[in-house]
Amino acid sequence: MTHVTLRSEFESLIDPYAPVAQVGTGFDFTEGPVWHPIDHYLLFSDMPGDVRRRWDPRRGVTEVKRPSNKCNGMTYDAELNLIVCEHATSQLIRERPDGRREVLASHFQGQELNSPNDVCVHSSGAIYFSDPWYGRMPVYGVERPRQLGFQGVYRVVPGGEPKLVVDRTLFDQPNGLCFSPDEKMLYVNDTVQALIRVFEVAGDGSLSNARVFASGIRSELEPGLPDGMKCDQHGNVWVTAPGGVWVYSPRGELLGKVRLPELVANLAWGGPDFRTLYLTSTHSVYAIPTKVGPRHEPYMNARPASGITAAGSSPAAPILADGEMHLDPQRCAMIIQDLQNDVIMAGGAFAESGAPEHARQQHVVENVRRLAETARARGVVIIHVWFVVEPGAPGVTLNAPLFEGLVDSKAMVRGSWGAAPVSGLEPRPGDFVVEKIRMSAWEGTRLETILKATGRDMIINTGAWTNMSIEHTARTGADKGYFMIVPEDCCSTMNADWHNASINFAMQNVAIVTRADAVIRALG
């Protein structure tokens, strides 16, 4: 099945020929998918069947709760308690891992809620949920009269009562909702009105400045309307729609359409690296690989108990008691930085610096290539960091000799041979590319957004130049709380003296300095 590209940006999010795999079928109507970040399984609901199920690659589909109070939307809070919208009870509830049940919201101003439908959690711990009345209809809920005369969106804080955060006349049937990556915006769709509204989120959690973000999400030719909705790590909005899922840019431009063989009700990213999009549909659950991950949800920070120190305050370091290094691939990202033609190749803008010769002495391209291949196979996130400037180098300040030399040499210009990655280190499907105009990979880039979205706190730092970009990135990463691992034979600079000075002195204080073979062994 071919997906539909309407703007070129769409193909940076998903391959237009990405396969659509059916992981389970034979259900009545599936909803509420959410991926467990530690135990690696998908939880989803089947409302008409009044059952909750899970799927994982080893066991397939299994039943976990019947009756389920015709549950719909589900997510986790930061402590991995399950937050559930129940149609049969008109309640939003919290289920503890030991099975204890806590009602978070059931009434507004003394009247029963309609039927909480979809839910998302803010990093503050506040929970936002939509409340259409689908759960009071036959099949998808329990038929009974409504007590409220409107359909709203609510915010509830721990121990508090639900607070209406939208005008009660604004929505016909509010449904899917999600935050932008920075949580400054909340998107809410309306199934009846076939549109998405976006709100600004104030510091106190209130919503303001509502506007229509996208409209006309309907078709006379295909079934489907706005229902489930998620934001990806770049702020693009993925919403169920006719034919599958429509993807909008943060500016509201329709980028493309993900095609599915059934009517899609909801979606969620999962898999060990959160690069698989799971879609609940009429009778089946599907999985599609993507090039992008989700907005970083609070629950995605959760770590196994064994990864916590005795104090319980920070994740385990990548060094075991016996001195041998062990790296959990699901916590690792590998940075391949500045390994571009102008930087380390003969004929590049900086060839006279000695960089090409030192790169050859270090066998840096081959060492990085084989380390990256192993890392990908183990589930490590690969991030290419490139120094790229527009013609004329606008935005590059001449406050340092390095930047002066770059501008004078007309180096690293977008689209040129010099800015391209060296042969053998081109990005592969599923890799990320980060662009910069500074030495550090962190400065002014989306690097940390990617790391947070993928839940990575160990960084394998490779590339050029050792005493500049690599060292700057390691220093800042250490300051930010990341474990920095520098395989020194995967780095090079102008000459061996500069390389050794950085590796043997400065880098020792901010990173684990090692070699490619040791990292490969540590990844298991």
Short mmCIF file of all heavy atoms in Angstrom, two decimals, residues 24-33 42-49 51 53 61 71-72 140 227 262-267 279-286:
data_model
loop_
_atom_site.label_atom_id
_atom_site.label_comp_id
_atom_site.label_asym_id
_atom_site.label_seq_id
_atom_site.Cartn_x
_atom_site.Cartn_y
_atom_site.Cartn_z
N GLY A 24 -2.90 -7.98 14.62
CA GLY A 24 -4.02 -8.68 15.23
C GLY A 24 -5.31 -8.29 14.54
O GLY A 24 -5.44 -7.18 14.03
N THR A 25 -6.28 -9.21 14.51
CA THR A 25 -7.55 -8.90 13.85
C THR A 25 -8.66 -9.74 14.48
O THR A 25 -8.41 -10.56 15.37
CB THR A 25 -7.46 -9.15 12.34
OG1 THR A 25 -8.62 -8.60 11.69
CG2 THR A 25 -7.35 -10.64 12.02
N GLY A 26 -9.89 -9.50 14.02
CA GLY A 26 -11.03 -10.22 14.56
C GLY A 26 -11.71 -9.53 15.72
O GLY A 26 -12.49 -10.14 16.45
N PHE A 27 -11.42 -8.24 15.92
CA PHE A 27 -12.00 -7.48 17.03
C PHE A 27 -13.27 -6.75 16.58
O PHE A 27 -13.57 -6.68 15.39
CB PHE A 27 -10.97 -6.48 17.56
CG PHE A 27 -9.59 -7.06 17.75
CD1 PHE A 27 -8.49 -6.56 17.07
CD2 PHE A 27 -9.39 -8.14 18.59
CE1 PHE A 27 -7.23 -7.09 17.23
CE2 PHE A 27 -8.12 -8.69 18.77
CZ PHE A 27 -7.04 -8.16 18.07
N ASP A 28 -14.00 -6.20 17.55
CA ASP A 28 -15.22 -5.47 17.22
C ASP A 28 -14.92 -4.02 16.81
O ASP A 28 -15.37 -3.56 15.77
CB ASP A 28 -16.16 -5.46 18.42
CG ASP A 28 -16.71 -6.85 18.72
OD1 ASP A 28 -16.91 -7.62 17.77
OD2 ASP A 28 -16.93 -7.16 19.90
N PHE A 29 -14.17 -3.29 17.62
CA PHE A 29 -13.77 -1.92 17.28
C PHE A 29 -12.67 -1.53 18.26
O PHE A 29 -12.91 -1.41 19.46
CB PHE A 29 -14.94 -0.94 17.39
CG PHE A 29 -14.62 0.44 16.89
CD1 PHE A 29 -14.75 0.75 15.54
CD2 PHE A 29 -14.16 1.42 17.76
CE1 PHE A 29 -14.45 2.02 15.08
CE2 PHE A 29 -13.86 2.70 17.30
CZ PHE A 29 -14.00 3.00 15.95
N THR A 30 -11.45 -1.35 17.76
CA THR A 30 -10.30 -1.15 18.65
C THR A 30 -9.99 0.33 18.84
O THR A 30 -10.18 1.14 17.93
CB THR A 30 -9.06 -1.89 18.14
OG1 THR A 30 -8.70 -1.39 16.85
CG2 THR A 30 -9.34 -3.38 18.05
N GLU A 31 -9.47 0.64 20.01
CA GLU A 31 -9.20 2.04 20.40
C GLU A 31 -8.08 2.07 21.44
O GLU A 31 -7.57 1.04 21.87
CB GLU A 31 -10.47 2.67 20.99
CG GLU A 31 -11.15 3.68 20.09
CD GLU A 31 -10.41 5.02 20.02
OE1 GLU A 31 -9.31 5.13 20.60
OE2 GLU A 31 -10.94 5.94 19.38
N GLY A 32 -7.71 3.29 21.85
CA GLY A 32 -6.89 3.54 23.02
C GLY A 32 -5.51 2.93 23.07
O GLY A 32 -5.07 2.50 24.13
N PRO A 33 -4.73 2.87 21.96
CA PRO A 33 -3.43 2.20 22.03
C PRO A 33 -2.42 2.98 22.87
O PRO A 33 -2.36 4.21 22.81
CB PRO A 33 -2.99 2.13 20.57
CG PRO A 33 -3.64 3.34 19.94
CD PRO A 33 -4.97 3.47 20.63
N LEU A 42 1.98 -3.48 23.63
CA LEU A 42 0.93 -2.53 23.27
C LEU A 42 -0.34 -2.90 24.00
O LEU A 42 -0.78 -4.06 23.95
CB LEU A 42 0.67 -2.57 21.76
CG LEU A 42 -0.36 -1.55 21.25
CD1 LEU A 42 0.25 -0.16 21.19
CD2 LEU A 42 -0.89 -1.97 19.88
N LEU A 43 -0.94 -1.94 24.67
CA LEU A 43 -2.24 -2.12 25.31
C LEU A 43 -3.28 -1.43 24.44
O LEU A 43 -3.04 -0.34 23.92
CB LEU A 43 -2.20 -1.49 26.70
CG LEU A 43 -3.13 -2.04 27.78
CD1 LEU A 43 -2.83 -3.50 28.05
CD2 LEU A 43 -2.99 -1.22 29.06
N PHE A 44 -4.43 -2.06 24.25
CA PHE A 44 -5.49 -1.41 23.47
C PHE A 44 -6.85 -1.93 23.94
O PHE A 44 -6.96 -2.98 24.58
CB PHE A 44 -5.30 -1.64 21.96
CG PHE A 44 -5.37 -3.07 21.50
CD1 PHE A 44 -6.55 -3.60 20.99
CD2 PHE A 44 -4.26 -3.88 21.57
CE1 PHE A 44 -6.62 -4.92 20.55
CE2 PHE A 44 -4.31 -5.21 21.12
CZ PHE A 44 -5.48 -5.72 20.62
N SER A 45 -7.87 -1.16 23.62
CA SER A 45 -9.22 -1.49 24.07
C SER A 45 -10.09 -1.91 22.89
O SER A 45 -9.83 -1.56 21.75
CB SER A 45 -9.84 -0.28 24.78
OG SER A 45 -9.82 0.87 23.95
N ASP A 46 -11.11 -2.69 23.21
CA ASP A 46 -12.13 -3.08 22.24
C ASP A 46 -13.46 -2.73 22.90
O ASP A 46 -13.99 -3.49 23.72
CB ASP A 46 -12.03 -4.58 21.94
CG ASP A 46 -13.00 -5.03 20.86
OD1 ASP A 46 -14.00 -4.32 20.61
OD2 ASP A 46 -12.77 -6.11 20.28
N MET A 47 -13.97 -1.55 22.57
CA MET A 47 -15.14 -1.03 23.30
C MET A 47 -16.39 -1.90 23.17
O MET A 47 -16.96 -2.30 24.20
CB MET A 47 -15.43 0.41 22.85
CG MET A 47 -14.46 1.43 23.41
SD MET A 47 -14.92 3.09 22.90
CE MET A 47 -14.70 3.00 21.14
N PRO A 48 -16.84 -2.22 21.97
CA PRO A 48 -18.06 -3.04 21.90
C PRO A 48 -17.89 -4.40 22.57
O PRO A 48 -18.84 -4.93 23.15
CB PRO A 48 -18.30 -3.18 20.39
CG PRO A 48 -17.59 -2.01 19.78
CD PRO A 48 -16.38 -1.80 20.63
N GLY A 49 -16.68 -4.95 22.50
CA GLY A 49 -16.43 -6.24 23.14
C GLY A 49 -16.24 -6.14 24.64
O GLY A 49 -16.17 -7.16 25.32
N VAL A 51 -13.62 -5.30 26.40
CA VAL A 51 -12.42 -6.03 26.78
C VAL A 51 -11.19 -5.18 26.49
O VAL A 51 -11.17 -4.38 25.56
CB VAL A 51 -12.36 -7.39 26.02
CG1 VAL A 51 -12.29 -7.17 24.52
CG2 VAL A 51 -11.19 -8.23 26.49
N ARG A 53 -7.06 -5.58 25.72
CA ARG A 53 -6.09 -6.57 25.27
C ARG A 53 -4.69 -5.97 25.21
O ARG A 53 -4.52 -4.75 25.25
CB ARG A 53 -6.47 -7.11 23.89
CG ARG A 53 -7.78 -7.90 23.85
CD ARG A 53 -8.03 -8.47 22.46
NE ARG A 53 -9.18 -9.36 22.44
CZ ARG A 53 -10.43 -8.96 22.19
NH1 ARG A 53 -10.69 -7.70 21.94
NH2 ARG A 53 -11.42 -9.84 22.19
N VAL A 61 -1.50 -11.50 20.67
CA VAL A 61 -2.61 -10.82 21.35
C VAL A 61 -3.10 -11.67 22.51
O VAL A 61 -3.37 -12.87 22.35
CB VAL A 61 -3.76 -10.55 20.37
CG1 VAL A 61 -4.95 -9.93 21.10
CG2 VAL A 61 -3.30 -9.64 19.23
N CYS A 71 -13.75 0.61 28.07
CA CYS A 71 -12.71 1.65 28.11
C CYS A 71 -12.37 2.11 26.70
O CYS A 71 -12.49 1.35 25.72
CB CYS A 71 -11.47 1.15 28.83
SG CYS A 71 -10.62 -0.23 28.04
N ASN A 72 -11.94 3.35 26.60
CA ASN A 72 -11.58 3.95 25.32
C ASN A 72 -10.13 4.41 25.39
O ASN A 72 -9.23 3.59 25.45
CB ASN A 72 -12.54 5.10 24.98
CG ASN A 72 -12.39 5.58 23.55
OD1 ASN A 72 -11.38 5.34 22.90
ND2 ASN A 72 -13.40 6.26 23.05
N TYR A 140 -21.02 1.37 21.57
CA TYR A 140 -19.74 1.91 22.05
C TYR A 140 -19.78 2.28 23.52
O TYR A 140 -18.77 2.70 24.08
CB TYR A 140 -19.33 3.11 21.20
CG TYR A 140 -19.17 2.76 19.75
CD1 TYR A 140 -20.11 3.18 18.80
CD2 TYR A 140 -18.12 1.96 19.32
CE1 TYR A 140 -19.98 2.84 17.47
CE2 TYR A 140 -17.98 1.62 17.98
CZ TYR A 140 -18.92 2.05 17.06
OH TYR A 140 -18.79 1.71 15.74
N ASP A 227 -10.46 11.51 15.00
CA ASP A 227 -10.72 10.71 16.20
C ASP A 227 -9.44 10.76 17.03
O ASP A 227 -9.16 11.74 17.71
CB ASP A 227 -11.12 9.29 15.80
CG ASP A 227 -11.68 8.48 16.96
OD1 ASP A 227 -11.39 8.82 18.12
OD2 ASP A 227 -12.40 7.49 16.71
N GLU A 262 -8.38 -0.27 6.66
CA GLU A 262 -9.60 -0.17 7.44
C GLU A 262 -9.73 1.24 8.02
O GLU A 262 -8.77 2.00 8.06
CB GLU A 262 -9.58 -1.17 8.61
CG GLU A 262 -9.58 -2.63 8.23
CD GLU A 262 -9.64 -3.53 9.46
OE1 GLU A 262 -10.56 -3.36 10.29
OE2 GLU A 262 -8.76 -4.40 9.60
N LEU A 263 -10.92 1.54 8.49
CA LEU A 263 -11.18 2.80 9.19
C LEU A 263 -10.33 2.85 10.46
O LEU A 263 -10.39 1.94 11.29
CB LEU A 263 -12.66 2.90 9.55
CG LEU A 263 -13.07 4.07 10.44
CD1 LEU A 263 -12.97 5.38 9.68
CD2 LEU A 263 -14.50 3.87 10.94
N VAL A 264 -9.53 3.89 10.63
CA VAL A 264 -8.62 4.00 11.77
C VAL A 264 -9.27 4.85 12.86
O VAL A 264 -9.84 5.91 12.58
CB VAL A 264 -7.28 4.62 11.35
CG1 VAL A 264 -6.34 4.71 12.54
CG2 VAL A 264 -6.65 3.79 10.24
N ALA A 265 -9.17 4.37 14.10
CA ALA A 265 -9.76 5.09 15.23
C ALA A 265 -8.73 5.82 16.07
O ALA A 265 -9.03 6.88 16.64
CB ALA A 265 -10.54 4.11 16.12
N ASN A 266 -7.51 5.27 16.20
CA ASN A 266 -6.54 5.91 17.07
C ASN A 266 -5.14 5.40 16.72
O ASN A 266 -4.99 4.47 15.94
CB ASN A 266 -6.86 5.64 18.54
CG ASN A 266 -6.46 6.79 19.44
OD1 ASN A 266 -5.51 7.52 19.16
ND2 ASN A 266 -7.17 6.95 20.55
N LEU A 267 -4.13 6.01 17.33
CA LEU A 267 -2.75 5.70 16.98
C LEU A 267 -1.83 6.03 18.15
O LEU A 267 -2.15 6.87 19.00
CB LEU A 267 -2.31 6.48 15.74
CG LEU A 267 -2.23 8.01 15.87
CD1 LEU A 267 -1.29 8.56 14.81
CD2 LEU A 267 -3.61 8.66 15.70
N LEU A 279 -1.69 1.41 15.01
CA LEU A 279 -2.97 2.01 14.66
C LEU A 279 -4.10 1.04 14.97
O LEU A 279 -4.10 -0.11 14.49
CB LEU A 279 -2.99 2.39 13.17
CG LEU A 279 -1.84 3.32 12.76
CD1 LEU A 279 -0.85 2.54 11.91
CD2 LEU A 279 -2.34 4.54 12.01
N THR A 280 -5.03 1.49 15.79
CA THR A 280 -6.21 0.68 16.08
C THR A 280 -7.30 1.05 15.08
O THR A 280 -7.56 2.23 14.84
CB THR A 280 -6.69 0.92 17.52
OG1 THR A 280 -6.82 2.34 17.75
CG2 THR A 280 -5.71 0.35 18.52
N SER A 281 -7.92 0.05 14.51
CA SER A 281 -8.90 0.28 13.45
C SER A 281 -10.18 -0.47 13.76
O SER A 281 -10.36 -0.99 14.86
CB SER A 281 -8.33 -0.16 12.11
OG SER A 281 -8.17 -1.55 12.08
N THR A 282 -11.05 -0.56 12.79
CA THR A 282 -12.36 -1.16 13.01
C THR A 282 -12.24 -2.57 13.61
O THR A 282 -12.75 -2.84 14.69
CB THR A 282 -13.14 -1.24 11.69
OG1 THR A 282 -13.12 0.05 11.07
CG2 THR A 282 -14.58 -1.66 11.95
N HIS A 283 -11.55 -3.44 12.92
CA HIS A 283 -11.46 -4.83 13.38
C HIS A 283 -10.04 -5.31 13.63
O HIS A 283 -9.86 -6.47 14.02
CB HIS A 283 -12.11 -5.75 12.34
CG HIS A 283 -13.53 -5.42 12.03
ND1 HIS A 283 -14.52 -5.42 12.99
CD2 HIS A 283 -14.14 -5.04 10.87
CE1 HIS A 283 -15.68 -5.06 12.44
NE2 HIS A 283 -15.47 -4.83 11.16
N SER A 284 -9.04 -4.47 13.41
CA SER A 284 -7.64 -4.92 13.45
C SER A 284 -6.75 -3.88 14.11
O SER A 284 -7.14 -2.73 14.30
CB SER A 284 -7.13 -5.21 12.03
OG SER A 284 -7.99 -6.07 11.32
N VAL A 285 -5.54 -4.32 14.42
CA VAL A 285 -4.47 -3.42 14.85
C VAL A 285 -3.33 -3.55 13.85
O VAL A 285 -2.94 -4.67 13.49
CB VAL A 285 -3.99 -3.76 16.28
CG1 VAL A 285 -2.81 -2.87 16.68
CG2 VAL A 285 -5.13 -3.62 17.28
N TYR A 286 -2.78 -2.41 13.41
CA TYR A 286 -1.73 -2.39 12.41
C TYR A 286 -0.47 -1.73 12.98
O TYR A 286 -0.53 -0.96 13.95
CB TYR A 286 -2.19 -1.63 11.17
CG TYR A 286 -3.32 -2.31 10.42
CD1 TYR A 286 -4.65 -2.01 10.72
CD2 TYR A 286 -3.05 -3.25 9.44
CE1 TYR A 286 -5.69 -2.64 10.05
CE2 TYR A 286 -4.09 -3.89 8.77
CZ TYR A 286 -5.40 -3.58 9.07
OH TYR A 286 -6.43 -4.21 8.41
#
